Amino acid sequence: MTPAGAPTVFVIDDDAGVRASIQGLLKSVGLRSETFGTAQEFLRSKRQDGASCLVLDVRLPGVNGLDFQRQLADAGVQIPIIFVTGHGDIPMTVRP
């Protein structure tokens, strides 16, 4: 059990199995997490202030992960992001 004010890892991935796997891994090392199937679900959620990071799938329905990163930055939302993907390429990693 993690305290309510504990840092939170937010996971956004459209694959329910991937979300569950990442959440299980995080729980096994004592980290609090919340999962979302889309970027829009994440934006609609009520999130507590405090330390957090985002595990973000590059390929999502609607807005993709890279575009979502830009939207967050444009909105002044500063959150560390760890990208995950099964479909990465070199140009994606150096996108401005």
Side-chain angles (χ1 to χ4, degrees):
M1 189 98 183
T2 54
T8 303
V9 178
F10 298 107
V11 178
I12 304 175
D13 196 298
D14 60 327
D15 185 313
V18 171
R19 288 193 310 270
S21 294
I22 293 172
Q23 191 168 42
L25 175 65
L26 294 168
K27 183 177 181 180
S28 76
V29 294
L31 293 172
R32 183 177 183 278
S33 64
E34 295 180 28
T35 64
F36 306 92
T38 66
Q40 292 77 15
E41 285 178 26
F42 173 78
L43 291 174
R44 286 192 303 260
S45 70
K46 286 193 146 209
R47 297 175 305 280
Q48 295 180 0
D49 289 333
S52 63
C53 73
L54 182 59
V55 175
L56 180 59
D57 187 9
V58 172
R59 287 196 176 176
L60 292 170
V63 64
N64 70 51
L66 295 171
D67 290 339
F68 186 57
Q69 176 192 32
R70 181 161 316 271
Q71 288 178 4
L72 290 173
D74 290 347
V77 177
Q78 297 197 6
I79 184 171
I81 299 174
I82 300 165
F83 286 100
V84 294
T85 187
H87 308 281
D89 56 27
I90 299 298
M92 180 186 301
T93 64
V94 294
R95 182 176 161 183

